[in-house]
Amino acid sequence: MPTRSTIMDTNSYRGDGSAALPEADRQLIERREQLLGPAYRLFYQKPVHLVRGEGAYVWDAHGTQYLDVYNNVVSIGHCHPAVVEAVERQMRTLNTHTRYLHEGIVGYADRLLATMPAELDQVMFMCTGSEANDLAVRVAQVATGAQGVIVTREAYHGTSALTSGLSPALGSGQPLADFVRLVEAPDTYRGRDGAAFASDIKAAIEDLKSSGLGFAAFLADSIFSSDGVLPGEQGMLREAVDEVRRQGGMFIADEVQPGFSRTGEAFWGFARHGLVPDLVTLGKPMGNGFPVSGMAARADVLAPFATTLPYFNTFGGNPVAMAAGQAVLDVIQQEGLLQHSLRVGRILLAELQKLGDKHENVGDVRGAGLFIGFELVSDPEAKTPDKQLALKAVEALRERRVLTSVAGPHGNVLKLRPPLAFGEHDIDWLVTALDEALDAVLDKRPAGSR
Ligand code: PMP
């Protein structure tokens, strides 16, 4: 079986230039490889050794400051003091599992559900996005009595046995579940609109049904992050989700990427499209670095699973995790981060689109709030993906102290997704660095390949 990987490998360290690294970093890489084994990837040909973070910035072991344009885990900012204080306070008071009464989990559940449509009226807690998706798929399969799940062609939904089988982004070394069907994500740059997407969803459902698996769920990250950051226009997914419902399936909105104000246009990615999911999975930004995840559901969807199977997750929903979650919601509200993401995201998008006009190898610049895809192509007419250019641009940005990476089936889309602490004053650093990086990498290419 070939073990070529795609998205997980695109920007990874290969060790070619290890001789040029500082001795301390080289030793740390060696110890890491020895002790952790070969599954772990490091970003960059010259890996970054980080020691500290604040807001949208991180610092390496040599004291160099970087602009973080990649991180949606510490979504409200690195080491946000409100989260640090809430976690510290609760850690000093009590931390235990969910089999005792505690106000924290109930208060947070109430607060979290208030951000969602009224139909979603129950929530369960775990620690990672993988666990949330794993549970949601099981819930949908029990609720529908069917097996089949549809995901997009380059989706990533997690690392458990179940969710890795629903994650083609892991590459050809990862066997896909026999009950999964893949559909191409909608991509308006390449002329794939909501109607084309809905028609592919319909065909995939029919295939699942005719193969005897039945249709349980359509599981999607509505900003299609690993498919290449494809926000599309608001409402684009309605037709597809209507089809899912007509055919008796569940729509599971994976909010690990677009949730918690990231897109600026709505608190949740599904809400950008005017959708009410049957199940919603949450992760990364939920605890701003503290491992918290959740699965919200309609009570009637959850009941067939939850009345037959108990659920216990040792760390999920513990008082410290709930304190972190509460603090994140407080900060998003108090600092107006939804409005901030929309406002700063629009200014940034416009500036990046100007770069697109200047450099002909920029095929498309698209985004919602502070989540922008910057697509690089070798031929703008043919829209030919240029992975090598994107990888060189990522390395050239790193030299200019801007951290990001790539996305998409061809690894040619720069994923620009800073912590929401990224301010208007940071735009110049990013845009100037990207402009210079493109100049540098395009000049280095042999004439004829430009
Ligand atoms: N869903 C999506 C859309 C993701 O991007 C990720 C993580 N990259 C996951 C699920 C899995 O989350 P975790 O790594 O916390 O298990």
Side-chain angles (χ1 to χ4, degrees):
M1 158 113 29
T3 51
R4 181 184 58 83
S5 183
T6 53
I7 196 92
M8 296 289 168
D9 266 338
T10 34
N11 177 27
S12 55
Y13 171 71
R14 299 190 203 287
D16 310 343
S18 69
L21 296 174
E23 182 55 21
D25 289 352
R26 214 174 44 72
Q27 279 180 14
L28 193 55
I29 293 169
E30 260 170 37
R31 277 174 60 212
R32 193 183 134 108
E33 283 172 354
Q34 223 164 44
L35 294 167
L36 307 185
Y40 286 84
R41 305 289 190 269
L42 274 169
F43 273 166
Y44 300 113
Q45 296 321 306
K46 208 171 143 196
V48 187
H49 177 178
L50 296 179
V51 294
R52 188 165 75 81
E54 188 182 324
Y57 312 115
V58 283
W59 284 263
D60 71 12
H62 314 285
T64 306
Q65 184 182 2
Y66 295 78
L67 179 62
D68 181 357
V69 185
Y70 190 67
N71 213 318
N72 74 332
V73 178
V74 287
S75 189
I76 59 172
H78 284 274
C79 307
H80 196 292
V83 180
V84 174
E85 271 163 38
V87 165
E88 194 192 341
R89 197 181 325 116
Q90 188 57 49
M91 196 75 184
R92 258 194 268 112
T93 312
L94 174 75
N95 198 19
T96 183
H97 56 72
T98 48
R99 283 177 171 147
Y100 303 108
L101 281 173
H102 196 269
E103 289 282 350
I105 190 167
V106 178
Y108 179 63
D110 206 11
R111 178 89 186 280
L112 182 67
L113 289 171
T115 64
M116 294 191 186
E119 290 88 336
L120 293 153
D121 52 356
Q122 293 187 333
V123 60
M124 294 169 65
F125 296 106
M126 47 292 314
C127 310
T128 65
S130 303
E131 288 174 286
N133 282 327
D134 195 295
L135 181 62
V137 170
R138 292 170 65 204
V139 167
Q141 288 177 331
V142 172
T144 56
Q147 289 296 302
V149 178
I150 299 174
V151 300
T152 50
R153 187 163 300 283
E154 198 65 19
Y156 182 75
H157 293 295
T159 195
S160 68
L162 176 55
T163 55
S164 59
L166 303 172
S167 297
L170 284 167
S172 54
Q174 169 62 50
L176 291 179
D178 55 7
F179 54 83
V180 71
R181 294 293 179 272
L182 306 183
V183 289
E184 215 62 58
D187 178 352
T188 41
Y189 172 54
R190 292 193 163 76
R192 264 183 67 69
D193 62 5
F197 185 60
S199 136
D200 287 355
I201 290 273
K202 186 163 189 264
I205 296 172
E206 279 159 10
D207 183 40
L208 283 168
K209 286 189 169 175
S210 66
S211 66
L213 291 159
F215 174 47
F218 166 48
L219 166 62
D221 154 16
S222 65
I223 201 155
F224 302 105
S225 173
S226 54
D227 286 278
V229 190
L230 302 159
E233 75 276 13
Q234 296 189 35
M236 178 185 65
L237 298 183
R238 280 189 99 124
E239 222 177 308
V241 171
D242 284 350
E243 185 60 32
V244 166
R245 292 272 165 58
R246 253 197 307 280
Q247 303 255 15
M250 305 270 151
F251 169 46
I252 307 172
D254 180 338
E255 289 288 333
V256 168
Q257 295 282 344
F260 293 94
S261 300
R262 170 60 52 186
T263 71
E265 292 166 357
F267 195 90
W268 300 111
F270 63 77
R272 269 190 79 228
H273 294 291
L275 302 169
V276 180
D278 301 286
L279 292 150
V280 179
T281 55
L282 314 167
K284 286 183 180 173
M286 191 170 177
N288 207 52
F290 196 92
V292 193
S293 75
M295 183 201 70
R298 284 185 10 225
D300 61 315
V301 167
L302 185 57
F305 178 94
T307 51
T308 12
L309 284 157
Y311 183 80
F312 178 62
N313 186 316
T314 301
F315 299 109
N318 73 58
V320 178
M322 299 294 92
Q326 278 280 11
V328 168
L329 292 182
D330 288 343
V331 169
I332 290 175
Q333 194 176 26
Q334 285 158 11
E335 296 185 5
L337 291 180
L338 179 63
Q339 299 76 4
H340 174 86
S341 178
L342 183 67
R343 188 181 69 79
V344 179
R346 277 190 179 152
I347 304 169
L348 176 61
L349 184 67
E351 290 302 314
L352 291 168
Q353 281 167 340
K354 282 187 211 158
L355 278 192
D357 296 338
K358 181 177 165 195
H359 299 273
E360 66 163 349
N361 294 79
V362 181
D364 191 36
V365 188
R366 53 190 175 248
L370 281 169
F371 201 162
I372 293 174
F374 193 89
E375 176 150 4
L376 295 167
V377 293
S378 54
D379 177 349
E381 289 299 311
K383 303 181 179 176
T384 317
D386 195 336
K387 177 176 175 174
Q388 288 314 314
L389 177 58
L391 291 179
K392 285 180 187 163
V394 165
E395 297 286 345
L397 278 170
R398 183 234 182 277
E399 294 307 314
R400 287 158 183 82
R401 300 178 294 115
V402 173
L403 302 182
T404 189
S405 190
V406 291
H410 306 286
N412 67 316
V413 180
L414 302 187
K415 188 152 80 170
L416 305 175
R417 184 193 51 184
L420 302 183
F422 181 98
E424 211 176 324
H425 54 276
D426 294 311
I427 291 177
D428 188 45
W429 185 350
L430 169 57
V431 173
T432 306
L434 185 50
D435 191 14
E436 288 175 10
L438 289 173
D439 276 340
V441 296
L442 287 165
D443 278 345
K444 278 184 199 146
R445 306 171 97 209
S449 74
R450 292 189 200 158

